[in-house]
Amino acid sequence: MSRVPVAVLVSGSGTNLAALLESTSAADSLAEIVLVVADRHKAYGLQRARDAGVATEVVLKRDHPTPEAYDQALAAVLQRHGVEWVCLAGFMKLVGAAMLAAFPQRILNIHPSLLPAFPGLGVQQAAIEHGVRAAGATVHLVDGGMDTGPIVVQGVVEVHPDDSPEELSARILTKVEHRIYPMALRWAVQGKLRLRGRVVHVDTDEPLLVVG
Ligand code: GRF
C-alpha cells in the first residue's frame, strides 16, 4: 500500500498533532505524517514529532522579508518533502496564495468553534460571553480567509453555566477535536471529499457531526 504523505503545521503544544500521529500509526492508515513544521523553535509539537521519529522543520518569520516570502518558503519546504496533504493544527499563521496554489483544496485546519460562529482568536471567552449552550470544533478546508473555508466535520460539546474559557477549551479538545481531525484526514487521503460550491460532500456513512 502506497501511503499519502502528510505534513502537520504547529505553533504550540500539538495535542491535535498527537491525535493525528496516533491515528496514522495504525497499520491500515492510508495517511503517513512525514513532516512536522513549526514557526517557532519552542513549539512542543516538534518534540512530539521527534519522539515519533517524524522529520521536523522550523520556518521562522524573521528569516523572510514579507508574508508572501514566508508563504513561498513554507510551500517549498513541504514540496521538498513530497507532501500531498497539509494539516494546520494550532498553526498561528494564515496561509497565503503560494500555499493555496501549491496545495489546492488540500489544506485542512481545525478551529475550536462551531464555524461560522466565532472565527479567529479568543474564541471560548467570546462563546461564554454570548451565553451559547453548545460549543465545539470544526475541521475545514483552508481558503484565503481566517477560518472561512468549506466545512468537513464538526464536533459539539455542552457549555456548562460555570465554565471558564480554559475548562471549555479542554472539553472541546479532548472530547471532539482529537476525534474529528483524524476522521477528516482519513477521508481526505481516501479521496472522499468532494467540493460542490462551498459545501463539502463526504462519501461516507459515518456521522459528519460528532457529539462529545
Ligand atoms: C486547538 O484548539 C485548535 O483547534 C486550534 O489551536 C489549538 C491547538 O491545540 N487551532 P494543540 O496545539 O493541537 O494542542
Side-chain angles (χ1 to χ4, degrees), residues 6-8 17 20-21 24 32-37 45-57 81:
V6 174
V8 183
L17 165 65
L20 293 171
L21 284 167
T24 55
E32 178 180 8
I33 297 173
V34 297
L35 177 67
V36 171
V37 181
L46 291 170
Q47 188 58 45
R48 293 185 196 271
R50 286 184 214 110
D51 292 346
V54 173
T56 61
E57 299 263 7
H81 285 263

Side-chain angles (χ1 to χ4, degrees), residues 12-17 88-92 109-112 137 169 173 177-178:
S13 156
T15 65
N16 278 290
L17 165 65
L88 310 183
F91 187 62
M92 298 302 284
N109 181 44
I110 188 158
H111 179 73
S169 179
L173 259 180
E177 291 196 42
H178 298 162

Side-chain angles (χ1 to χ4, degrees), residues 87-178:
C87 293
L88 310 183
F91 187 62
M92 298 302 284
K93 281 201 167 41
L94 272 183
V95 299
M99 280 289 291
L100 295 170
F103 301 97
Q105 309 300 353
R106 279 175 172 252
I107 307 176
L108 294 167
N109 181 44
I110 188 158
H111 179 73
S113 79
L114 295 171
L115 290 172
F118 308 122
L121 297 174
V123 172
Q124 305 324 335
Q125 179 71 38
I128 288 167
E129 282 170 9
H130 278 78
V132 297
R133 308 309 195 212
T138 304
V139 179
H140 63 92
L141 289 167
V142 171
D143 61 11
M146 165 105 71
D147 306 318
T148 51
I151 290 168
V152 176
V153 58
Q154 294 187 300
V156 64
V157 302
E158 198 177 336
V159 180
H160 300 163
D162 52 352
D163 267 342
S164 66
E166 293 72 27
E167 286 166 329
L168 180 54
S169 179
R171 187 175 314 122
I172 293 169
L173 259 180
T174 55
K175 290 211 181 281
V176 293
E177 291 196 42
H178 298 162

